[in-house]
Amino acid sequence: MSRPPRRGINTGCLEGRRILVATGGGSISIYRVPDIIREMRREGGAKVKVAMGGKASQALISHEVFRWASGNDVITEVSGRLEHISDVEGSDALVLMPASFDTIGKCANGIADEVQPLMFSNAVGSGVPVLFVPAMHQGMFRSPALRRNTDILRSMGALFVEPVVEEGKAKLAGPAEVIDAVARALAGQRGGGRYLVVSGRGGEEVIDQ
Ligand SMILES: Cc1cc2nc3c(=O)[nH]c(=O)nc-3n(C[C@H](O)[C@H](O)[C@H](O)COP(=O)(O)O)c2cc1C
């Protein structure tokens, strides 16, 4: 029996959009990312490509899971094909998920020795919208270094999808929140002036100009 079409608040909001998801190896919350990608496609209608960050990421989860979730071959290294240039510039948005404390710090400070910060470095200079989806323990999330680094990234135009803070952790946002944030970021681009900041820290600003 065929599955009935899904109808939700985010249905079709990413139709035809090309989303590049770069994963990091630093957070066990990576186990939730395939589900979010699947929903980006099924619910949002997006075309999704995944770039996996190094051996640590691939030790936690197989690229085959991401191939299934995205319906696309997975980038597992940066090669002579210059994936950090071609795949970033061929995308409508770059989503760093999960974004660790470490990755956020690297991106804010111009370090590009891993797939996530490398892709970020080109996206932010090429005008491709970037969203960070952080996950870490609450103490790390409250650290002054994280606040300083997220402030720097916001000043570069990056967006943050707010984590769910519970049980002493800042947990990865869910599929609906991620899809909504990406759609709003892209709608802001189309609309010429409307801009949403979804903060990586508790309940911050929404700017609607
Ligand atoms: C089991 C385990 C879980 C971890 N979870 C997180 C996490 O959720 N968030 C985070 O920022 N760092 C976490 N860390 C620390 C990161 O793994 C470490 O900072 C790593 O260098 C980040 O790599 P990445 O930036 O490529 O993701 C964890 C470490 C271990 C051993």
Side-chain angles (χ1 to χ4, degrees):
M1 201 170 74
S2 65
R3 194 193 293 268
R6 295 161 62 90
R7 307 271 348 146
I9 53 167
N10 287 320
T11 301
C13 67
L14 295 176
E15 198 64 52
R17 295 299 203 164
R18 299 157 305 171
I19 311 300
L20 179 60
V21 175
T23 70
S27 173
I28 195 67
S29 69
I30 197 170
Y31 83 93
R32 293 179 52 208
V33 174
D35 191 37
I36 296 173
I37 289 170
R38 192 85 177 141
E39 289 302 302
M40 278 181 172
R41 294 176 61 212
R42 288 182 60 198
E43 173 86 15
K47 296 186 173 86
V48 183
K49 190 148 182 95
V50 179
M52 293 186 77
K55 289 200 175 89
S57 178
Q58 291 163 48
L60 288 177
I61 190 165
S62 166
H63 69 277
E64 291 295 348
V65 181
F66 285 116
R67 177 146 62 182
W68 167 81
S70 67
N72 264 318
D73 285 344
V74 174
I75 300 164
T76 53
E77 61 178 355
V78 174
S79 70
R81 201 170 69 73
L82 303 180
E83 290 81 355
H84 60 299
I85 309 294
S86 53
D87 287 286
V88 167
E89 293 175 16
S91 301
D92 296 309
L94 172 66
V95 180
L96 277 67
M97 171 170 69
S100 69
F101 183 93
D102 176 65
T103 286
I104 290 169
K106 285 178 175 171
C107 292
N109 293 285
I111 298 166
D113 63 349
E114 260 291 353
V115 169
Q116 281 183 316
L118 184 60
M119 292 196 157
F120 169 80
S121 68
N122 186 41
V124 78
S126 303
V128 175
V130 183
L131 294 95
F132 288 81
V133 191
M136 63 196 70
H137 277 77
Q138 196 170 2
M140 298 165 77
F141 187 60
R142 286 182 173 160
S143 141
L146 188 84
R147 170 166 280 276
R148 186 190 63 221
N149 288 331
T150 55
D151 286 349
I152 291 170
L153 291 169
R154 280 196 206 97
S155 75
M156 297 182 198
L159 305 175
F160 285 80
V161 184
E162 192 175 341
V164 177
V165 180
E166 61 183 14
E167 298 172 329
K169 297 184 188 97
K171 295 184 180 175
L172 200 74
E177 289 71 30
V178 176
I179 293 169
D180 185 56
V182 176
R184 284 170 181 263
L186 294 174
Q189 268 202 325
R190 266 187 185 147
R194 280 173 56 82
Y195 199 70
L196 173 80
V197 176
V198 183
S199 169
R201 298 187 64 84
E204 286 184 48
E205 68 249 81
V206 175
I207 304 169
D208 196 355
Q209 302 170 3

